[in-house]
Amino acid sequence: MLQWSGAILTALCLYPFLRFISFTVKAKPRHVTVPAPLPLSGYHAERDFLLFAGTNKQKPFAVSRTCTHLGCRVSYLEDKEIIECPCHQSRFRTTGEVVSGPAKRNLSTLEVTVQKDTNGRVRAYVVTL
Ligand code: FES
């Protein structure tokens, strides 16, 4: 009985310590503003993301440039309309879906907010990382 009480007391004392050492602070979201209009190609490449203007019915959207295989920076191949990783040639659609591996997971999609002026014209795109 005494041993069980000691074990429970030890667990109760260790629990707050274990919670403390496993505590991580979430990174603050970063907002990157891309001025409008986008180039005629319809996309804009930043260090961390690719922003696409989207079609008439499609809203602007952005995908991460970090490959889901081993983390290389992907590039958009305009002529093939495909995103490709230079390291092991994983290919993704512009929406981030995997077309061919070795990557198995889609590229992360990022939130895009459109800023408009008083006339309703698009002034800028804000991508949240
Ligand atoms: S790191 Fe992109 S395919 Fe391997």
Side-chain angles (χ1 to χ4, degrees):
M1 181 69 177
L2 193 60
Q3 288 176 337
W4 278 106
S5 300
I8 291 171
L9 188 63
T10 304
L12 287 174
C13 292
L14 281 179
Y15 179 71
F17 176 72
L18 292 174
R19 287 220 25 182
F20 175 74
I21 59 173
S22 64
F23 180 76
T24 54
V25 178
K26 284 186 179 176
K28 284 185 179 176
R30 194 162 53 101
H31 304 284
V32 179
T33 303
V34 178
L38 292 179
L40 284 178
S41 57
Y43 85 101
H44 174 81
E46 282 279 333
R47 192 177 85 86
D48 297 324
F49 64 85
L50 295 165
L51 170 66
F52 294 94
T55 58
N56 287 344
K57 292 180 181 174
Q58 222 177 9
K59 289 181 178 178
F61 58 96
V63 293
S64 168
R65 289 190 71 181
T66 304
C67 179
T68 54
H69 179 228
L70 292 177
C72 291
R73 185 170 294 140
V74 297
S75 301
Y76 179 57
L77 306 180
E78 225 177 305
D79 54 335
K80 297 176 184 168
E81 294 185 2
I82 202 100
I83 298 171
E84 186 177 75
C85 179
C87 295
H88 310 106
Q89 283 71 46
S90 283
R91 289 180 162 203
F92 306 88
R93 293 186 213 292
T94 54
T95 52
E97 298 157 18
V98 176
V99 174
S100 63
K104 292 185 174 20
R105 289 179 294 123
N106 298 339
L107 296 174
S108 339
T109 54
L110 304 168
E111 183 185 325
V112 179
T113 308
V114 178
Q115 291 181 339
K116 294 183 177 179
D117 62 14
T118 52
N119 297 327
R121 287 188 312 217
V122 177
R123 195 168 46 103
Y125 303 93
V126 179
V127 180
T128 304
L129 300 164

